[in-house]
Every structure is written in C-alpha cells, then in structure tokens.
Amino acid sequence: MKLKTYIIIVLVAGLFGGPVSANPDEESSVSREYQIKAAFLYNFLKTVEWPEEVISDGNEPMVIGIIGKDHFGEAFDPIKGKSVKGRKVIVKRFEGLSQVDESSDDAEDESKALRKCHLLFVCSSEQKTFGEIIKSVKGHSVLTVSEVDNFLEAGGIINFIPSAEKGEFEINLAVAKRVRLKISSKLLRIAKRVIEEKPSEKAKN
Amino acid sequence: LIMFKMSNMTIKDKLILIIMLVSLSALVLTAFILLGFVHVTFRNSMVQDILTDADMAADNCNVALAFRNIEDVEKTLTSLKSKSSIVFGGVYTTNGENFAEYYRDDIDSSVRPAQLKKDGYYFENGFLTVFKSIVLDDEKIGMLCIRSDLIPLHEIFKNSTAVITIVLLLALLMAYFLSARLQKIISVSILKLAEVAKVVSEKKDYSTRAIKQSNDEIGLLIDAFNEMLEQIQQRDSTLVNTNEKLSTEIAKRKKAKKALEKLNKDLESTVWELMRANQQLRDFTHITAHDLKTPLRGISTLANWISTDYSDVLDVRGKKNLTMLIKRVQRMYHLIDSILEYSNIIRIKEKEQEVDLNALLAEVIHEIEAPENVQISIDNNLPAVVCDKELMMRVFENLLSNAVKHAGKPRGQIKVNCEQENNFWRFSVIDNGLGIEEKYFKKIFQMFQTLSTQEGFESSGVGLSVVKKIVELYGGKIWVESKGGQGSTFSFTLPKHKERVKDEKLQSSTVG
C-alpha cells in the first residue's frame, strides 16, 4: 500500500504536470487538494452528458461556476485553452449567497447566472446556504458539486467527501437523472457512494 | 549418385521411386505453403484479438485513469487474466510514468516493455506487444500496453505441423500404394517384353511374339521388336537351310575326297607296280643285251678266225658272205650297245653338276672328228647348266653327229645357238642338209627308226630317242623343224632352274 500511496502522490502531481501543466512548481502555493479538485471538475465535464438543448449551440463554452470563497487560486490555470466536447472551458466565480441579500435583485440575477453554468461548485464557505443554491438551480441541468457533508441529501449531485484526502467523491444519481444529466457508468464505478433513485421517488415521478 | 543407383533398379522400383519423389516434393511444398498460411492467418487473428482487448481495456479505464483511481484501473487490467496468453498489462500516464500494472502469475517484471511506442502492435523478444492510447473526450490521457506471449501461435503451429505431417505421411502412403498398383500400367508391358526377349535369347525360338497391350511408345517398341523377331526368324530359317545344304555338300565332298584318296592310292600302287615292271624290263633289257653280247663276240671272233685262217680255202662268194656276216655281227653289236646305252641313261643320271656348255661343246666337236667339208659354228656364248655332264655330252654328240651325217654336200654347214625363252634355254642345232618330211617329225624320235638305210648312213636308230629321253628327263622338250631341201633344225629346251625332278620317275617310266 505504501508504494501505491506514493505512486498516487506522484501521479497526482503529474495530473496537471503532463501536458496540462506548464510548470508544476509554480502551483506549489495552491494546495494539492484543490489542484486535484480542479482536475476532477474538469474531468466531470468530460464524463457527464448534458441534455442536447443545453449544449445545442456548438460555440457556447462549457462553464464551470464556482460559488463562495474558494481555495483554488491558480489551480485552473492548466485548463486554460483546453476544451471539452469541442468547447472551450471557462471558469466563472460567484459570490456566496451569504454575502448577497436574499431578496435583492442581485440575488435574482445571480440565480439566473448560476443556472447557465454547466457545473456549479459550491465552496465549503457556503455550508449554510447550499440548500438555497441547490434550490435556485433546481430543475435545470446543472451538475452541482460540493465538498460539504449532507450535500447530496440536500439535492446536490456530486460531493467530495470532506474527510477523505484523495479526492474521493459520492454521487446522487437520482438527482442527476431528474435534471437529465447522464453520468458515465465508469464514473459511477469509481465513486465512493452512489445514491440510486429510490423506488418511492420513481413512483412519484 | 541417385542416377547411378537408379540405373541398377528395376523399372517397377524406378517408377515407384519417381512417383514417390514427385508426390513428396508436391506434398512438402503444399505443406509449407499451408503452414505459412496457417501461421499468417493465426498471427493476424491473434493480433486482432489483442488489439480488441487493448481497445476495450483502454476504453474501460479512461475515466478511472482521469480520476487517478488506481484500484479501478487495476481491476480493468486484472480482467486481462481471462486471456491466458497475456503476460503483462500496463497503464501509463501521458508523461510515461507507470500508473498500474498487471503481470500473469508465473511472470516477473522483466517482461515489462523497456519503452513506450506509438499505437500499434509489435512482435519482439518473443512477445506480441500492443500499445494503445487511452483517450477521454478526444484527449489523450495515457497509454495502455498489453503483452502476449506467442505460445498460442507456437501451439497452433505445432499442432498444424503435426496434422499436416500426418496428412503428408498418409498421402505418401496412399501415393505408394497407388503407384505400386499404377506402375504396372507401364512396367508390366515392359517386363513382358523383357521376358519374351529372354525366352527368345535362351531358347533361340524366334517364332515367339510379344503381345501388344497399348498404343503408346511401348506399343511401338513391341511392334518394332516383333518385326525384328520376324526378320530374324526369316534369316534364321534361310541360315538353317543354307547350313543343311552346306553340310550335305561337305558330306558329298568328303565322300568324293575319300574316293579320290582311294583312287590316288590305287594310282600310286599302279605307278609303283609300273615302276617295278619298268625297272624289271630295264634290268631284263640290260641283262639280255649284255648276255647277247657274249655269244655275239664269240660269233665275231669265229668269223674273223674263219676269214683269216680259211681265206685261201673259201671261194669269192664264200668270202663275200663271210664279210657280210662279220658286218652284220658288228652291226648287231652296235645295236646291242645302243640298247645298253639307252637303258643306262637312268643309271648314269645321278651325278649332277654345273656344266659349262662352251667347254662341253668344244670337247664334243673334237670327239666327232667331223670331215673337212663340214663346218660347225657356235653362234653365241652358251650358258652353264646344272646337269650330268656325260648325259648332256651325249645329247650334243648325238645331235651334232646326226647333223654331220646329214649335212649338205659338198659343203656342210652346222650352226648351234641358244636363246632365252621365259624360264627356259632353247638350244637349236641347224644343218643345211636334205631336210626331213613333216610326216617323219615324230617318228624320228622313236627307237630303232632310221629314215634311210642307205650305206654310209650308219645308224642304230637309237640316238635321237636317247636325246629325247635325256631332254625330257630334265623337263625340256625336243622337236624338229624342216622344209624339204633346206636343212632341218633340231631344237630342245632346258629349264633354267631345277624344277623338273618332280616328275622324273613318271617321265622315265612313260618313255619305257
């Protein structure tokens, strides 16, 4: 196991260290954890299928939204200029709901902007408001990802398990299906936990 | 070597061997082609299998690799276990680092490829190695490598070699049995022909014929052979006929020869008897002549005595008769001498030597004492001959004295000459006397024949017959030529070389 752990560390360093990363030493300021998470987000874009109408226009970029106080720093730099499904990938950062007044127009605008994201990463700073965020994109094909406990139970789709170090994640397949996101079985295979569609919920639909 | 050894084989074995060699080479060629085909085909299918495996594995582990999930990648690699020929599977990151590996249980890490290569398959170091990019959403995120040993290929090769070898052996066996049977099509007619030829040569039976069974070259050969036999048979029969004729001829000749031999013997004994009779006759003649001389001498002596003692008693007529008696007695004496001389020829003839005829003739002329009116000339140098001098002297004596007697009057001329005539000397004695009529040409050489009994021609009638006998004794001939009133020529021949002795006895006996 020791050898494997070592290999993983080396490999994770190489995750962006290969053709993705221009210079791995530059990112030493960013924590390794967020380098991994940034790479994972990028890979989620690749392994999840959005409904056709969402990505109908070929020129539209794939948008990764990040809401709240993030620790990614320059972790997304290696992704710059790269594309997924033939589209450019851009990263948009949003202020957390905790900083925005709930009833204000700004909040409404932000909700609209959030719905346009393909992937929305909810930072741990939004621990108290992630329910709101999920609600604001509910019914839209937005792949919600977070790193807080009970995110899936609140209706989130993918969650990095906070206690785990190696970027292990869990998936709520039921929610994903409800918003017509197709998640690759290969991705499900490597997830730590998958919440399947409950029979009662199925009946409800 | 093969050709040499083949030349000592029977046609049957040769045919079988040729067929077997041809079949073997065809089968071996086929076997090689088949093996090559099997090898290539199986190799391709093996490559296709491994490529499919690699495609599937690469596709299966792309997400896991992207998320750096080593367990899942390893799980994918471990699934390669289902293919027992795969010894190694490896997943590498884009910068070539080893992410996960799979080794077959019995294999250590030495089978790991030394370096990554481009996508594709490679046969190297006894392995089939496939490299395949791992792609996620059109982006190359790593590399998959699968290595397979070539045992299945070897196995297939081994099995197909075994099967093909067995098939080849079976085919050869079948070719052997088939050729052993089918070679008869050719060999049987040849063997039969050979057998017929053997029978013909052993039994000398040329009436045998080979039976033609096919219309190919062997059929032609058999036709030609039969034709040859026919010709031989014909020749043989004519030969046999000729032989029979010949042998009867030979038998006839033998018989004739025997008869001839008997005849010869008879003749010989006859000759011998004749010779004895001749000898007896000669002896008788000699003795008789000799014995007659004694009383004759007595008569002569008595007559002489009477003539001298009683001359005064006897009258003229008595004297005349007595004188005639004495003359007659003398003449008889002379006659008896001549007979003695003739019979003595054979006895004398023994002593032979080379005689110079010039000297001999001079001696003869001296002895003859020819009268002065007769001239004797010798034409040319005479040769020397091998003979009895006394006999040869008698020949010339007789001829010359004969010529002198008959020489012309008043002047007589006698010529002696000698010429060469083939292997003979021809001597001629020519006189100019009265000559001889042709009807006497033979008669004069017979004993007691004188042409004129006139007085003065004193002749016993023995001389020329003696000459003839001597000349013939030496193998020569004697003859006379004459024209009335122009003299006569006595010619005789003598062979130059001494060959006459052969017939000497016969001649001497026939003359007698």
Side-chain angles (χ1 to χ4, degrees), chain B residues 375-393:
Chain B
Q375 192 190 338
I376 300 173
S377 62
I378 296 161
D379 256 16
N380 39 16
N381 272 342
L382 299 174
V385 291
V386 175
C387 61
D388 185 279
K389 191 185 171 188
E390 218 174 304
L391 288 180
M392 195 47 61
M393 221 162 147

PDB file of all heavy atoms in Angstrom, chain B residues 375-393:
ATOM      1  N   GLN B 375      81.474 -77.613-141.719  1.00  0.00           N
ATOM      2  CA  GLN B 375      81.912 -76.518-140.814  1.00  0.00           C
ATOM      3  C   GLN B 375      80.890 -76.351-139.667  1.00  0.00           C
ATOM      4  O   GLN B 375      79.688 -76.222-139.891  1.00  0.00           O
ATOM      5  CB  GLN B 375      81.988 -75.220-141.602  1.00  0.00           C
ATOM      6  CG  GLN B 375      82.689 -74.130-140.841  1.00  0.00           C
ATOM      7  CD  GLN B 375      82.519 -72.786-141.550  1.00  0.00           C
ATOM      8  OE1 GLN B 375      82.241 -72.751-142.771  1.00  0.00           O
ATOM      9  NE2 GLN B 375      82.689 -71.726-140.811  1.00  0.00           N
ATOM     10  N   ILE B 376      81.377 -76.421-138.458  1.00  0.00           N
ATOM     11  CA  ILE B 376      80.472 -76.273-137.295  1.00  0.00           C
ATOM     12  C   ILE B 376      80.735 -74.920-136.638  1.00  0.00           C
ATOM     13  O   ILE B 376      81.865 -74.609-136.292  1.00  0.00           O
ATOM     14  CB  ILE B 376      80.705 -77.396-136.281  1.00  0.00           C
ATOM     15  CG1 ILE B 376      80.434 -78.763-136.936  1.00  0.00           C
ATOM     16  CG2 ILE B 376      79.824 -77.198-135.048  1.00  0.00           C
ATOM     17  CD1 ILE B 376      80.794 -79.934-136.059  1.00  0.00           C
ATOM     18  N   SER B 377      79.676 -74.112-136.511  1.00  0.00           N
ATOM     19  CA  SER B 377      79.875 -72.811-135.833  1.00  0.00           C
ATOM     20  C   SER B 377      78.904 -72.660-134.636  1.00  0.00           C
ATOM     21  O   SER B 377      77.751 -73.114-134.693  1.00  0.00           O
ATOM     22  CB  SER B 377      79.619 -71.684-136.838  1.00  0.00           C
ATOM     23  OG  SER B 377      78.294 -71.719-137.286  1.00  0.00           O
ATOM     24  N   ILE B 378      79.441 -72.082-133.628  1.00  0.00           N
ATOM     25  CA  ILE B 378      78.603 -71.874-132.430  1.00  0.00           C
ATOM     26  C   ILE B 378      78.274 -70.395-132.351  1.00  0.00           C
ATOM     27  O   ILE B 378      79.160 -69.550-132.289  1.00  0.00           O
ATOM     28  CB  ILE B 378      79.318 -72.345-131.180  1.00  0.00           C
ATOM     29  CG1 ILE B 378      79.532 -73.871-131.287  1.00  0.00           C
ATOM     30  CG2 ILE B 378      78.523 -72.039-129.918  1.00  0.00           C
ATOM     31  CD1 ILE B 378      80.595 -74.381-130.369  1.00  0.00           C
ATOM     32  N   ASP B 379      76.988 -70.085-132.389  1.00  0.00           N
ATOM     33  CA  ASP B 379      76.534 -68.707-132.570  1.00  0.00           C
ATOM     34  C   ASP B 379      76.937 -67.760-131.451  1.00  0.00           C
ATOM     35  O   ASP B 379      77.478 -66.704-131.682  1.00  0.00           O
ATOM     36  CB  ASP B 379      75.009 -68.697-132.693  1.00  0.00           C
ATOM     37  CG  ASP B 379      74.625 -68.488-134.152  1.00  0.00           C
ATOM     38  OD1 ASP B 379      75.515 -68.661-134.987  1.00  0.00           O
ATOM     39  OD2 ASP B 379      73.446 -68.151-134.400  1.00  0.00           O
ATOM     40  N   ASN B 380      76.619 -68.090-130.293  1.00  0.00           N
ATOM     41  CA  ASN B 380      76.907 -67.126-129.198  1.00  0.00           C
ATOM     42  C   ASN B 380      77.362 -67.879-127.956  1.00  0.00           C
ATOM     43  O   ASN B 380      77.364 -69.114-127.919  1.00  0.00           O
ATOM     44  CB  ASN B 380      75.688 -66.285-128.891  1.00  0.00           C
ATOM     45  CG  ASN B 380      74.422 -67.111-128.956  1.00  0.00           C
ATOM     46  OD1 ASN B 380      74.493 -68.353-128.938  1.00  0.00           O
ATOM     47  ND2 ASN B 380      73.281 -66.470-129.028  1.00  0.00           N
ATOM     48  N   ASN B 381      77.714 -67.116-126.967  1.00  0.00           N
ATOM     49  CA  ASN B 381      78.192 -67.735-125.730  1.00  0.00           C
ATOM     50  C   ASN B 381      77.077 -68.566-125.113  1.00  0.00           C
ATOM     51  O   ASN B 381      75.972 -68.084-124.892  1.00  0.00           O
ATOM     52  CB  ASN B 381      78.627 -66.655-124.745  1.00  0.00           C
ATOM     53  CG  ASN B 381      80.085 -66.307-124.974  1.00  0.00           C
ATOM     54  OD1 ASN B 381      80.826 -67.073-125.614  1.00  0.00           O
ATOM     55  ND2 ASN B 381      80.495 -65.156-124.483  1.00  0.00           N
ATOM     56  N   LEU B 382      77.440 -69.824-124.845  1.00  0.00           N
ATOM     57  CA  LEU B 382      76.431 -70.710-124.275  1.00  0.00           C
ATOM     58  C   LEU B 382      76.444 -70.591-122.750  1.00  0.00           C
ATOM     59  O   LEU B 382      77.484 -70.314-122.155  1.00  0.00           O
ATOM     60  CB  LEU B 382      76.704 -72.153-124.702  1.00  0.00           C
ATOM     61  CG  LEU B 382      76.662 -72.377-126.211  1.00  0.00           C
ATOM     62  CD1 LEU B 382      77.094 -73.801-126.539  1.00  0.00           C
ATOM     63  CD2 LEU B 382      75.267 -72.113-126.749  1.00  0.00           C
ATOM     64  N   PRO B 383      75.302 -70.825-122.127  1.00  0.00           N
ATOM     65  CA  PRO B 383      75.234 -70.727-120.644  1.00  0.00           C
ATOM     66  C   PRO B 383      75.786 -71.980-119.980  1.00  0.00           C
ATOM     67  O   PRO B 383      76.069 -72.966-120.667  1.00  0.00           O
ATOM     68  CB  PRO B 383      73.737 -70.598-120.369  1.00  0.00           C
ATOM     69  CG  PRO B 383      73.085 -71.317-121.496  1.00  0.00           C
ATOM     70  CD  PRO B 383      73.971 -71.157-122.682  1.00  0.00           C
ATOM     71  N   ALA B 384      75.884 -71.895-118.668  1.00  0.00           N
ATOM     72  CA  ALA B 384      76.237 -73.077-117.889  1.00  0.00           C
ATOM     73  C   ALA B 384      74.937 -73.621-117.301  1.00  0.00           C
ATOM     74  O   ALA B 384      74.096 -72.850-116.825  1.00  0.00           O
ATOM     75  CB  ALA B 384      77.192 -72.698-116.773  1.00  0.00           C
ATOM     76  N   VAL B 385      74.766 -74.929-117.347  1.00  0.00           N
ATOM     77  CA  VAL B 385      73.546 -75.528-116.792  1.00  0.00           C
ATOM     78  C   VAL B 385      73.919 -76.615-115.804  1.00  0.00           C
ATOM     79  O   VAL B 385      75.007 -77.191-115.883  1.00  0.00           O
ATOM     80  CB  VAL B 385      72.638 -76.108-117.899  1.00  0.00           C
ATOM     81  CG1 VAL B 385      72.044 -75.016-118.744  1.00  0.00           C
ATOM     82  CG2 VAL B 385      73.401 -77.092-118.745  1.00  0.00           C
ATOM     83  N   VAL B 386      72.968 -76.850-114.861  1.00  0.00           N
ATOM     84  CA  VAL B 386      73.211 -77.909-113.887  1.00  0.00           C
ATOM     85  C   VAL B 386      72.667 -79.217-114.480  1.00  0.00           C
ATOM     86  O   VAL B 386      71.474 -79.317-114.745  1.00  0.00           O
ATOM     87  CB  VAL B 386      72.519 -77.576-112.554  1.00  0.00           C
ATOM     88  CG1 VAL B 386      72.681 -78.740-111.580  1.00  0.00           C
ATOM     89  CG2 VAL B 386      73.077 -76.311-111.969  1.00  0.00           C
ATOM     90  N   CYS B 387      73.546 -80.192-114.683  1.00  0.00           N
ATOM     91  CA  CYS B 387      73.116 -81.467-115.269  1.00  0.00           C
ATOM     92  C   CYS B 387      74.246 -82.502-115.155  1.00  0.00           C
ATOM     93  O   CYS B 387      75.297 -82.204-114.592  1.00  0.00           O
ATOM     94  CB  CYS B 387      72.745 -81.277-116.738  1.00  0.00           C
ATOM     95  SG  CYS B 387      74.132 -80.704-117.701  1.00  0.00           S
ATOM     96  N   ASP B 388      73.943 -83.680-115.664  1.00  0.00           N
ATOM     97  CA  ASP B 388      75.002 -84.684-115.723  1.00  0.00           C
ATOM     98  C   ASP B 388      75.811 -84.448-116.999  1.00  0.00           C
ATOM     99  O   ASP B 388      75.261 -84.413-118.095  1.00  0.00           O
ATOM    100  CB  ASP B 388      74.376 -86.075-115.722  1.00  0.00           C
ATOM    101  CG  ASP B 388      75.425 -87.156-115.672  1.00  0.00           C
ATOM    102  OD1 ASP B 388      75.985 -87.474-116.749  1.00  0.00           O
ATOM    103  OD2 ASP B 388      75.680 -87.625-114.558  1.00  0.00           O
ATOM    104  N   LYS B 389      77.088 -84.278-116.794  1.00  0.00           N
ATOM    105  CA  LYS B 389      77.918 -83.874-117.921  1.00  0.00           C
ATOM    106  C   LYS B 389      77.887 -84.913-119.056  1.00  0.00           C
ATOM    107  O   LYS B 389      77.748 -84.590-120.225  1.00  0.00           O
ATOM    108  CB  LYS B 389      79.351 -83.680-117.442  1.00  0.00           C
ATOM    109  CG  LYS B 389      80.235 -83.001-118.456  1.00  0.00           C
ATOM    110  CD  LYS B 389      81.690 -82.939-117.988  1.00  0.00           C
ATOM    111  CE  LYS B 389      82.594 -82.456-119.126  1.00  0.00           C
ATOM    112  NZ  LYS B 389      84.001 -82.593-118.715  1.00  0.00           N
ATOM    113  N   GLU B 390      77.933 -86.179-118.653  1.00  0.00           N
ATOM    114  CA  GLU B 390      78.000 -87.247-119.642  1.00  0.00           C
ATOM    115  C   GLU B 390      76.729 -87.283-120.490  1.00  0.00           C
ATOM    116  O   GLU B 390      76.772 -87.413-121.712  1.00  0.00           O
ATOM    117  CB  GLU B 390      78.174 -88.577-118.923  1.00  0.00           C
ATOM    118  CG  GLU B 390      79.115 -89.524-119.651  1.00  0.00           C
ATOM    119  CD  GLU B 390      79.372 -90.769-118.815  1.00  0.00           C
ATOM    120  OE1 GLU B 390      79.816 -90.569-117.652  1.00  0.00           O
ATOM    121  OE2 GLU B 390      79.063 -91.870-119.265  1.00  0.00           O
ATOM    122  N   LEU B 391      75.565 -87.113-119.784  1.00  0.00           N
ATOM    123  CA  LEU B 391      74.285 -87.138-120.486  1.00  0.00           C
ATOM    124  C   LEU B 391      74.187 -85.977-121.446  1.00  0.00           C
ATOM    125  O   LEU B 391      73.764 -86.119-122.603  1.00  0.00           O
ATOM    126  CB  LEU B 391      73.124 -87.087-119.494  1.00  0.00           C
ATOM    127  CG  LEU B 391      72.882 -88.352-118.680  1.00  0.00           C
ATOM    128  CD1 LEU B 391      71.697 -88.161-117.739  1.00  0.00           C
ATOM    129  CD2 LEU B 391      72.618 -89.539-119.597  1.00  0.00           C
ATOM    130  N   MET B 392      74.586 -84.789-120.971  1.00  0.00           N
ATOM    131  CA  MET B 392      74.487 -83.593-121.795  1.00  0.00           C
ATOM    132  C   MET B 392      75.418 -83.726-123.012  1.00  0.00           C
ATOM    133  O   MET B 392      75.071 -83.328-124.123  1.00  0.00           O
ATOM    134  CB  MET B 392      74.859 -82.370-120.944  1.00  0.00           C
ATOM    135  CG  MET B 392      74.459 -81.022-121.536  1.00  0.00           C
ATOM    136  SD  MET B 392      72.755 -80.949-122.149  1.00  0.00           S
ATOM    137  CE  MET B 392      71.826 -81.262-120.694  1.00  0.00           C
ATOM    138  N   MET B 393      76.558 -84.354-122.766  1.00  0.00           N
ATOM    139  CA  MET B 393      77.512 -84.573-123.846  1.00  0.00           C
ATOM    140  C   MET B 393      76.897 -85.484-124.908  1.00  0.00           C
ATOM    141  O   MET B 393      77.004 -85.235-126.107  1.00  0.00           O
ATOM    142  CB  MET B 393      78.762 -85.247-123.279  1.00  0.00           C
ATOM    143  CG  MET B 393      80.026 -84.693-123.856  1.00  0.00           C
ATOM    144  SD  MET B 393      81.391 -85.119-122.807  1.00  0.00           S
ATOM    145  CE  MET B 393      82.638 -85.297-124.062  1.00  0.00           C
TER     146      MET B 393
END
